[in-house]
Amino acid sequence: MSEDVLLKVKGLEKKYGDIEALKGIDLEVKKGEVVVVLGPSGCGKSTFLRCINGLEEISKGEIHLEGYGLLGKEIPFEKVRGIVGMVFQSYELFPHLNVINNILLGPTKAQNRKKEEAEKQADELLNRVGLFNRKFSYPRELSGGQKQRIAIVRALCMNPEIMLFDEVTAALDPEMVREVLMVLLELAKNGMTMIVVTHELEFAKHVADKIVFMEEGKLVEVTTPKEFFNNPKTERAKSFLASFDLYK
Ligand code: ADP
């Protein structure tokens, strides 16, 4: 794995009125690294990803993407989506567009790419997630797991440098969780730089290069999966793991 730092977050703060959602976050993510963010509900995980994706205006601090510059300064917000891909818990596919038109919207409209060229890439990606035969289906004709895999393809088709996953399996039936996690696993194996927010601890253990544990808007542990699951340092992390009945 390359040691190059791709994403550097410095002193990131985010306030919603009086609520301090992020209280000074520092994090470096290297090219090809898989960072899994864990933490109790409301600790700021989603806000953190949304800031990196330019969906939230940050209150203080910096987000730097190697080769592009500072988010919101050298990288205009309308360009962020092509560099930082994000997939959400709810798939957010357009119901009136079929699969291929959902996927091609970003590449052709936001990136001004030629339809034929983008469609070739979309076909390859659809094959990769096992859904080429659903190219002309509409979202209502797909299962939750299939919709989520399409949402992943849609983000990948913009050729992002880094992918952010915000609890992408949380709304899925258990049997569909696996098919989506397999796609994430394959991406990780192929060297995609990823930040993954999840409650799937076995998956986190398996796929993460680095575990980040958040509490009340701060990163309280940044460590290896082995260290985090075998020897959590903070009481909060211990009780978090105990709530999954994994820590004894
Ligand atoms: P998590 O993803 O860890 O569950 P969030 O990032 O969603 O946490 O939320 C962090 C904190 O910020 C919470 O206190 C939440 O209520 C608050 N928050 C998140 N989004 C908004 C918003 N749009 N307006 C006001 N408060 C928000």
Side-chain angles (χ1 to χ4, degrees), residues 46-64:
S46 192
T47 302
F48 182 39
L49 293 193
R50 291 168 61 83
C51 286
I52 299 171
N53 189 235
L55 288 171
E56 299 285 356
E57 211 175 310
I58 69 179
S59 308
K60 217 171 168 184
E62 288 178 356
I63 298 172
H64 182 268

Side-chain angles (χ1 to χ4, degrees), residues 7-12 25-28 48 52 62-63:
L7 171 75
K8 194 168 187 169
V9 177
K10 255 170 53 183
L12 174 60
I25 304 257
D26 296 297
L27 184 72
E28 287 189 355
F48 182 39
I52 299 171
E62 288 178 356
I63 298 172

Side-chain angles (χ1 to χ4, degrees), residues 16 19 21 40-47 56:
Y16 296 104
I19 299 169
S41 179
C43 71
K45 304 180 295 296
S46 192
T47 302
E56 299 285 356

